[in-house]
Amino acid sequence: MGPAELVQAAAMARRFYLEGKSKIQIAEEFGVSRFKVARVLETALERDLVRIEIRVPAELDAERSDALRARYGLRHAVVVESPAEAEETPDPENLGEVAADLLGELVNEGDVLGLAWGRSTIHMAAALDRLPPCTVVQLTGVYDAGTSERGSVEAVRRAAQVSGGDAHPIYAPMLLPDAATAAALRNQTGIARAFEYFDKVTVACVSIGSWEPGISTVHDMLSEEERAHYASLGVAAEMAAHLFDAEGRRVGRDLGERCITVKADQLRRIPEVVAIAGGQRKASAIDAVLRSGLVTSLVTDTSAADYLMTAGTTPKPALNRADPDGI
């Protein structure tokens, strides 16, 4: 390209890329055809006269995010850089901050937002600074009734406060000693009112636990004998008190009768289910839950994402919401 061509190409590129003018407008200004404008812009890219950079905030890994979304057929996947010193830490707190921003995008006015118990969802709720008016409902009981003010109940209150909507918390433990006690609690007025909203939830936020101490709420609440029993069934992950094997099939369904939680079939019908989970120690559990078809979107970190990109056979797309059990 000669000097005149270079100057004209630079001017056209400035109009198109910086000023937002259309090719037709540029063609009219310079007295050429729009096809000529298209050729000049293409040549400007080829000759390195124009450089296009795609930038996202440093903590977000756009390439891994897109690859992970495609591999699991997710609606959204957001991968956050893992701090080098925290690679072994499950669910770094910055995941909650990013998830809070994602919910700000996904939740619309009039939606019903469901929050399941989990450290990551609690971190997310604490980081919320914007939500359109919506109803917020608790999807599970709490890890321990004595921590309700600092856990799920407070997360539901916080989200409702930010949105200006109604809150429907559940003042009950997640796991009860037996099915009869759980059934009795479900019939209590306040808890029953929250349960009535489960079929109306449009966006849900859940955590994922791997089957080991300190990383699975359900694991920590069971006796040694019960842990061994469910381990013998091949449990690899838990989410909202539901247990899954490595292929995403639900196991230990009898446990659900003792739990205060949303049903798996109800989760499957929710249009948007966002899971927040990260760290190497949770990576295989995240893979298992994603294979269940219950989750549509994921917020995770690079540590877990690197495992997920090479984990086993290519999973079925999550958005078909298929039940691996075929039931």
Side-chain angles (χ1 to χ4, degrees), residues 18-29:
L18 299 182
E19 299 176 12
K21 291 188 176 181
S22 69
K23 292 174 183 176
I24 293 176
Q25 290 173 314
I26 296 171
E28 291 175 351
E29 178 182 347

Side-chain angles (χ1 to χ4, degrees), residues 10-11 49-50 84 115 154 184 198-199 237 252 267 275 287 296 301 316 320:
L49 186 63
V50 174
L115 301 181
E154 183 55 36
F198 286 2
D199 287 326
L267 277 173
D287 175 62
T296 61
D301 61 0
K316 295 178 181 178
N320 66 19

Side-chain angles (χ1 to χ4, degrees), residues 115-118 120-121 139-141 174 204-211 215-219 235-245 248-252 255-256 259-268 270 272-277 282 285-298 321:
L115 301 181
W117 195 96
S120 58
T121 53
L139 295 179
T140 64
M174 181 189 295
C205 189
V206 299
S207 296
I208 294 172
S210 56
W211 198 245
I215 308 185
S216 165
T217 299
V218 174
H219 181 282
V235 60
E238 63 102 347
M239 178 184 69
H242 298 292
L243 308 181
F244 305 87
D245 68 11
R249 296 182 292 259
R250 288 181 60 212
V251 296
L255 186 67
C259 292
I260 302 296
T261 186
V262 61
K263 295 179 180 178
D265 288 344
Q266 290 174 311
L267 277 173
R268 199 177 300 279
I270 295 174
E272 185 74 76
V273 179
V274 181
I276 314 170
K282 280 195 175 183
I286 297 170
D287 175 62
V289 172
L290 291 182
R291 291 174 185 274
S292 74
L294 294 176
V295 170
T296 61
S297 298
L298 174 69
R321 311 306 290 276

Side-chain angles (χ1 to χ4, degrees), residues 181-262:
T181 304
L185 278 176
R186 292 189 200 102
N187 289 326
Q188 287 189 0
T189 302
I191 297 174
R193 187 178 299 117
F195 268 61
E196 290 174 358
Y197 278 91
F198 286 2
D199 287 326
K200 303 174 185 177
V201 173
T202 50
V203 180
C205 189
V206 299
S207 296
I208 294 172
S210 56
W211 198 245
E212 57 180 299
I215 308 185
S216 165
T217 299
V218 174
H219 181 282
D220 290 349
M221 297 175 76
L222 293 172
S223 67
E224 287 292 343
E225 183 180 353
E226 290 171 323
R227 292 170 188 167
H229 166 67
Y230 291 115
S232 71
L233 300 180
V235 60
E238 63 102 347
M239 178 184 69
H242 298 292
L243 308 181
F244 305 87
D245 68 11
E247 298 301 320
R249 296 182 292 259
R250 288 181 60 212
V251 296
R253 297 185 183 219
D254 60 303
L255 186 67
E257 298 177 4
R258 295 169 51 194
C259 292
I260 302 296
T261 186
V262 61

Side-chain angles (χ1 to χ4, degrees), residues 56 60-70 77 79 81 305 309:
V56 296
L60 298 182
D61 192 312
E63 186 174 349
R64 281 186 176 92
S65 297
D66 188 54
L68 195 61
R69 178 200 57 76
V79 178
E81 287 288 347
M309 289 307 301

Side-chain angles (χ1 to χ4, degrees), residues 117 142 144-155 157 170-172:
W117 195 96
V142 297
D144 176 24
T147 64
S148 61
E149 291 300 318
R150 302 188 300 277
S152 303
V153 171
E154 183 55 36
R157 287 176 174 169
I170 294 177
Y171 295 94

